[in-house]
Amino acid sequence: MSEEKNLNFLEEIVAADLEAGKYTSILTRFPPEPNGYLHIGHSKSICLNFGLAAKYGGTTNLRFDDTNPVTEDTEYVESIKEDICWLGFNWAQELYASDYFDTLYEYAVQLINKRLAYVDDSRSDEIAALKGTPTEAGKDSIYRSRSVAENLQLFTDMKAGKFKDGEKVLRAKIDMAANNMLMRDPIIYRIKHAHHHRTGNKWCIYPMYDFAHGQSDSIEQITHSVCTLEFIPHRELYDWFITKLEIFPSHQYEFARLNMTYTVMSKRKLLQLVNDGHVNGWDDPRMPTISGFRRKGYTAESIRTFCEKIGVAKRENFIDLSLLEFCLREDLNKIAKRVMAVLDPVKLIITNYEDGKTESLVSENGPEEHMGTRTLTFSKELWIEREDFMEVPAKKWFRLAPGALVRLKSAFIVKCESFSKDEQGNINEIHCTYIPESRSYNDTSGISVKGTIHWVNAATAVEAEIRLYERLFMVENPAGEEAELRDLINPASLEIIRKAYLEPSVATATTAERYQFIRKGYFCLDKESTQTKLIFNRTVTLKDAWSKEMKK
RNA sequence: UGGGUUAUGGUGUAAAGGCAGCACAACAGAUUUUGAUUCUGUUUGUCUAGGUUCGAAUCCUAGUAACCCAACCA
């Protein structure tokens, strides 16, 4: 087939390795640290790692990189697993770097025996000082020449808990003059008397990332270990450990992480938003976390499509949020059930409609035939959207205005005859006459109107709270600003409408369903919704050509 | 000032010496009982300067810019 072409660079590598017979099948891994919730940037990595394996007939392990007990927690483990499943991926094995602590310890002992590691008593700041700078070579620690026997004894004592945190570290003995700072005798084990979420109090020494990640890959026989660009300098060390330990040669490849407009992607900043109360938790719909997007009503399908469209390369990128929203709308347009909801209501009274009379009207649930129809109740008093009426119509306005005709969706054409205002001067009632012959799908009136607006029957309307979300940040690139994060937050990121009117069919909504409130956007039920109080989140607005027209 | 990585429209991403393509965005129009969807069209690009070649985004030389590296984080 001709789609052989257009592979991303990682697919090319995998295809070439398979072609050359280097591997008979491939194994990738997704290696999160359980110290925070997954965000949209992780989606790219998840889709990439799982997608790569799936495309070439391999499998993917989920491995938690849990080497730092002070920041990690099972709460994060659970949320990460849930998010990956929700995205639609299945891992071959659920593994933990902590599963390998015994092996890793043995590897460290091997290095000591090969005179390739030593225990250093220096303080943290002393080690940093001797490390030099990128342009200046480092200097050897005075502990660098300890004997194998002494190192072995000290490392055993470290493990046995004979020292306090920070008193000693185990370092690889490589080259203090290396251009690559990571090769200047990196620390591979440090003392932390801390409870680990899986190994409990068994250990008081923990391996550093560089001494755990590559070896974990090797133990699992990962063929292609894919990570982000900032780990490029680590690759030399990654390979060094594999070579010196003479273990299975996994290989590391790096791609550019996802950056997106109007969002922050660092776990530190996301944690800060949560801890400082700028949002209501990790799954706040304004968060770029997978759980936040899920709660807001995004579909897994749309996120997968997005990750497909953004591509994979090694150059820094800054993806426009509108691409994600495009993927979302594309999916929602296909699956969302159309209903009517009035978010900012104003009363519309049909003066020539009989008091107390009601009639049933059939409306389609969506553009696709298979979505079916439902029945709406029509009567003399309706709610319509306040913004669909203009006392003094703008140019090109084709909604309601004094004397203007408009169609009520799936119902009748009405003509505005008059309106009234309250003491504050706000319009509180619009009076119309309707044209009985203009009944939808059976219109014999011969009148055609340019505008169609949505409405809800006042007597049978259901009340609901609606949460309207806007982007969390006011600036395109919050991470690139000097200002504090909190000063960049959009004060209008959440607007709560306490009382909106929905057509009664929505009263039985579930969080699994997706709705389009006609002309207002896509919405879904929030998890905080109850039987007595319906709460809906706006997932995304519809594209709005009129608001653009207005800005001109 | 050391080392590493990357440069293609506004944003992404293809083109492996042979017509710079695709998507989003923007803009214009058609259709529309959602100012949605759908459809049609338009604008905008090979970091710079030299060189090789019939022909260069691609090869060579020299520059320039951006990002990463000096946590007992990952």
Side-chain angles (χ1 to χ4, degrees), chain A residues 312-325:
Chain A
V312 177
K314 298 188 75 157
R315 113 179 61 139
E316 294 286 344
N317 59 79
F318 196 45
I319 309 283
D320 202 321
L321 177 62
S322 63
L323 180 60
L324 212 208
E325 295 186 335

Side-chain angles (χ1 to χ4, degrees), chain A residues 194-479:
Chain A
H195 181 269
H196 186 280
H197 72 108
R198 299 202 91 227
T199 60
N201 296 318
K202 177 178 176 185
W203 297 89
C204 63
I205 56 171
Y206 293 93
M208 295 287 286
Y209 164 84
D210 286 300
F211 199 67
H213 198 100
Q215 286 89 320
S216 297
D217 284 342
S218 179
I219 290 166
E220 294 172 23
Q221 307 213 347
I222 299 297
T223 56
H224 301 265
S225 179
V226 178
C227 62
T228 47
L229 253 29
E230 66 271 28
F231 288 94
I232 288 176
H234 293 252
R235 189 173 65 234
E236 189 179 358
L237 226 202
Y238 182 105
D239 293 337
W240 190 86
F241 285 129
I242 282 176
T243 303
K244 299 303 179 189
L245 259 10
E246 301 175 78
I247 54 180
F248 178 85
S250 294
H251 292 280
Q252 176 184 302
Y253 302 92
E254 311 85 9
F255 72 98
R257 65 167 354 124
L258 167 68
N259 297 294
M260 198 163 66
T261 56
Y262 299 103
T263 109
V264 293
M265 219 65 100
S266 93
K267 278 201 229 174
R268 203 198 93 245
K269 292 196 170 88
L270 295 178
L271 218 207
Q272 188 186 337
L273 289 171
V274 172
N275 287 345
D276 295 353
H278 298 303
V279 295
N280 305 311
W282 286 98
D283 70 344
D284 185 299
R286 291 167 292 179
M287 289 284 275
T289 50
I290 294 176
S291 53
F293 281 121
R294 176 168 64 235
R295 183 170 170 192
K296 194 172 172 185
Y298 275 61
T299 60
E301 168 77 21
S302 65
I303 293 176
R304 277 188 256 114
T305 304
F306 172 71
C307 290
E308 182 71 30
K309 282 186 193 286
I310 59 178
V312 177
K314 298 188 75 157
R315 113 179 61 139
E316 294 286 344
N317 59 79
F318 196 45
I319 309 283
D320 202 321
L321 177 62
S322 63
L323 180 60
L324 212 208
E325 295 186 335
F326 167 81
C327 296
L328 210 214
R329 291 190 181 108
E330 186 183 42
D331 190 32
L332 257 16
N333 179 49
K334 285 186 288 196
I335 65 172
K337 185 178 170 186
R338 270 62 169 180
V339 295
M340 292 197 277
V342 175
L343 307 190
D344 184 11
V346 63
K347 189 66 78 63
L348 182 143
I349 295 174
I350 300 172
T351 53
N352 61 338
Y353 201 86
E354 198 179 315
D355 282 349
K357 177 185 170 186
T358 63
E359 65 187 294
S360 293
L361 301 168
V362 173
S363 183
E364 85 276 348
N365 293 336
E368 306 278 331
E369 191 98 6
H370 68 84
M371 297 176 100
T373 59
R374 67 189 187 289
T375 303
L376 301 172
T377 304
F378 190 81
S379 74
K380 187 184 182 81
E381 289 196 18
L382 312 173
W383 293 113
I384 65 164
E385 210 70 61
R386 183 169 293 276
E387 65 171 19
D388 284 340
F389 177 82
M390 268 187 110
E391 185 177 347
V392 182
K395 55 189 182 311
K396 292 189 190 172
W397 176 261
F398 43 86
R399 278 120 91 157
L400 219 45
L405 288 118
V406 77
R407 174 170 295 280
L408 296 174
K409 171 75 181 173
S410 298
F412 301 92
I413 292 173
V414 293
K415 181 182 184 188
C416 176
E417 306 288 356
S418 65
F419 59 91
S420 62
K421 292 183 174 178
D422 61 18
E423 311 80 64
Q424 284 86 15
N426 300 311
I427 290 164
N428 62 1
E429 273 185 4
I430 297 168
H431 297 259
C432 292
T433 51
Y434 87 119
I435 298 166
E437 300 75 34
S438 66
R439 186 179 177 123
S440 280
Y441 312 112
N442 190 21
D443 187 343
T444 58
S445 71
I447 300 169
S448 72
V449 292
K450 195 93 163 105
T452 298
I453 64 171
H454 59 281
W455 55 277
V456 170
N457 181 43
T460 54
V462 173
E463 288 181 12
E465 175 176 311
I466 310 283
R467 297 175 180 174
L468 304 178
Y469 300 101
E470 293 284 343
R471 50 177 65 120
L472 222 206
F473 295 101
M474 297 181 291
V475 296
E476 267 209 330
N477 185 12

Side-chain angles (χ1 to χ4, degrees), chain A residues 29-280:
Chain A
R29 101 270 90 112
F30 175 63
E33 186 192 7
N35 69 344
Y37 280 61
L38 261 22
H39 54 64
I40 186 75
H42 291 110
S43 306
K44 179 178 181 181
S45 177
I46 292 168
C47 291
L48 177 55
N49 276 297
F50 283 89
L52 205 51
K55 182 165 184 172
Y56 292 94
T59 55
T60 305
N61 285 344
L62 168 60
R63 183 179 68 238
F64 290 96
D65 238 331
D66 55 349
T67 56
N68 186 2
V70 301
T71 57
E72 296 157 5
D73 195 273
T74 50
E75 175 199 348
Y76 300 121
V77 170
E78 295 310 313
S79 73
I80 288 167
K81 286 161 64 177
E82 186 186 356
D83 289 346
I84 298 170
C85 287
W86 178 77
L87 271 179
F89 297 102
N90 304 300
W91 50 85
Q93 296 187 79
E94 177 185 335
L95 301 163
Y96 296 78
S98 56
D99 294 341
Y100 312 132
F101 281 174
D102 286 297
T103 308
L104 262 12
Y105 180 83
E106 282 310 312
Y107 285 164
V109 170
Q110 282 179 37
L111 248 29
I112 293 172
N113 280 316
K114 290 180 176 178
R115 302 175 189 280
L116 292 172
Y118 61 97
V119 172
D120 195 327
D121 300 1
S122 309
R123 290 192 320 268
S124 175
D125 58 319
E126 292 169 333
I127 290 178
L130 288 176
K131 200 147 201 172
T133 67
T135 56
E136 210 180 329
K139 294 188 182 66
D140 289 359
S141 162
I142 54 170
Y143 303 100
R144 197 175 200 260
S145 52
R146 288 220 255 231
S147 70
V148 168
E150 189 183 4
N151 280 318
L152 246 19
Q153 185 58 51
L154 288 169
F155 190 47
T156 304
D157 291 344
M158 279 170 66
K159 183 193 181 194
K162 295 192 181 174
F163 308 111
K164 293 202 263 305
D165 286 9
E167 260 188 275
K168 288 186 168 38
V169 291
L170 183 69
R171 292 227 259 170
K173 189 190 285 187
I174 307 179
D175 178 8
M176 288 307 290
N179 277 323
N180 183 346
M181 299 291 290
L182 284 158
M183 300 301 278
R184 320 242 266 224
D185 290 11
I187 292 168
I188 59 178
Y189 262 95
R190 77 287 215 192
I191 300 170
K192 277 180 189 286
H193 291 272
H195 181 269
H196 186 280
H197 72 108
R198 299 202 91 227
T199 60
N201 296 318
K202 177 178 176 185
W203 297 89
C204 63
I205 56 171
Y206 293 93
M208 295 287 286
Y209 164 84
D210 286 300
F211 199 67
H213 198 100
Q215 286 89 320
S216 297
D217 284 342
S218 179
I219 290 166
E220 294 172 23
Q221 307 213 347
I222 299 297
T223 56
H224 301 265
S225 179
V226 178
C227 62
T228 47
L229 253 29
E230 66 271 28
F231 288 94
I232 288 176
H234 293 252
R235 189 173 65 234
E236 189 179 358
L237 226 202
Y238 182 105
D239 293 337
W240 190 86
F241 285 129
I242 282 176
T243 303
K244 299 303 179 189
L245 259 10
E246 301 175 78
I247 54 180
F248 178 85
S250 294
H251 292 280
Q252 176 184 302
Y253 302 92
E254 311 85 9
F255 72 98
R257 65 167 354 124
L258 167 68
N259 297 294
M260 198 163 66
T261 56
Y262 299 103
T263 109
V264 293
M265 219 65 100
S266 93
K267 278 201 229 174
R268 203 198 93 245
K269 292 196 170 88
L270 295 178
L271 218 207
Q272 188 186 337
L273 289 171
V274 172
N275 287 345
D276 295 353
H278 298 303
V279 295
N280 305 311

